[in-house]
Amino acid sequence: MVLAAGLGTRMRPLTDDRPKALVEVQGRALIDHVLDRLAEAGVEKAVVNIHWFADRLEAHLAARGRGPQIVISDERAELLETGGGLKKAHPLLGDDPVFVANIDSVWIDRGDALTDLIRLWNPETMDAALLLARREGSIGFEGDGDFFMADDGTLTFRGDAPSAPFAYMGVHITRPGYADHGPDGPFSLSPLWRKSASEGRLFGCVLDGDWMHVGDPQARDEAEAKLAGEA
């Protein structure tokens, strides 16, 4: 499940004429960075939700010419946020575990992050397994961190602590029905994660590499410079 329906307001003016998913980093649309990562990890079908400049994004996806196969979850009528988007897409996703991926996450992988996440996932003990990045050294992340992580990978939210070492970097594995009991209309996955964390069922693993959160034009420019330096 690729979450590509957002308005991309922080990315303006680059999103004045396109969805955030089609903003380019090093000549490649953000959504193509994500879809190519998923394809490398063995994903054969991706459900993509659309809303802002939906026709343009749909045309881009139809012309990609490479895997994974794309199925559209149409949110033209109402933007449903992360939880609502997953809930709406469940019939398209089937019942096997799924990656859920944001489109504003680009990374340099010195290991094999998505394979590590697959190895971590255990549906018997977990509601969701999140890919995390170390806060220090990340590009475009403005915040004090999201999570603490125990030795077994169990996650707890930062809460009242002044900072936490790890940030969610926009990809996780979950059951496609995880959000089914959420409210009708738009809602976030965050409250569901907090409930799972309180029950010891939220886990994570840490990227061995460099994460770029491409959330605004400055972060886009910094990500381009970082990737050019690695090329």
Side-chain angles (χ1 to χ4, degrees), residues 1 3 38 82 86 97-102 114 117 121 127-131 168-175 178 189 193 202-203:
M1 172 89 201
L3 300 170
L38 293 172
T82 53
L86 181 61
V98 292
F99 283 113
V100 180
N102 299 342
L114 296 185
L117 199 59
W121 169 251
D127 291 333
L130 280 55
L131 188 57
Y168 174 57
M169 56 171 285
V171 183
H172 70 278
I173 294 175
T174 191
R175 303 182 307 277
Y178 181 52
L189 284 172
W193 286 358
L202 192 69
F203 283 71

Side-chain angles (χ1 to χ4, degrees), residues 12-216:
R12 288 177 178 158
L14 300 179
T15 49
D16 285 346
D17 65 347
R18 71 191 64 198
K20 184 178 180 180
L22 295 185
V23 171
E24 293 188 353
V25 175
Q26 276 218 315
R28 191 156 48 123
L30 283 170
I31 196 164
D32 289 327
H33 282 271
V34 174
L35 288 170
D36 291 346
R37 287 281 191 195
L38 293 172
E40 290 167 8
V43 172
E44 297 178 353
K45 182 178 83 169
V47 175
V48 180
N49 65 352
I50 59 173
H51 175 82
W52 184 243
F53 287 102
D55 291 349
R56 184 167 178 179
L57 179 53
E58 204 167 10
H60 175 88
L61 293 169
R64 248 177 70 86
R66 60 189 185 275
Q69 172 197 352
I70 303 297
V71 178
I72 298 297
S73 181
D74 195 327
E75 294 184 19
R76 284 177 172 88
E78 183 180 27
L79 189 60
L80 294 172
E81 299 183 34
T82 53
L86 181 61
K87 180 180 177 179
K88 177 180 172 65
H90 184 184
L92 303 174
L93 291 164
D95 293 314
D96 292 330
V98 292
F99 283 113
V100 180
N102 299 342
I103 48 84
D104 54 9
S105 192
V106 177
W107 66 92
I108 296 165
D109 203 338
R110 297 191 176 87
D112 194 347
L114 296 185
T115 298
D116 289 344
L117 199 59
I118 292 168
R119 289 196 191 105
L120 173 67
W121 169 251
N122 180 349
E124 301 302 318
T125 60
M126 302 176 191
D127 291 333
L130 280 55
L131 188 57
L132 307 176
R134 291 175 178 83
R135 190 165 51 92
E136 292 80 7
S138 296
I139 287 174
F141 177 74
E142 299 169 0
D144 297 313
D146 301 317
F147 296 104
F148 297 97
M149 186 171 66
D151 290 343
D152 66 352
T154 309
L155 299 181
T156 52
F157 277 83
R158 176 168 58 92
D160 294 330
S163 65
F166 301 113
Y168 174 57
M169 56 171 285
V171 183
H172 70 278
I173 294 175
T174 191
R175 303 182 307 277
Y178 181 52
D180 282 1
H181 298 296
D184 293 334
F187 67 95
S188 170
L189 284 172
S190 181
L192 303 184
W193 286 358
R194 290 182 182 278
K195 182 176 185 296
S196 294
S198 71
E199 296 169 353
R201 295 184 58 85
L202 192 69
F203 283 71
C205 63
V206 181
L207 170 73
D208 178 13
D210 300 311
W211 174 48
M212 290 149 272
H213 175 230
V214 188
D216 57 39

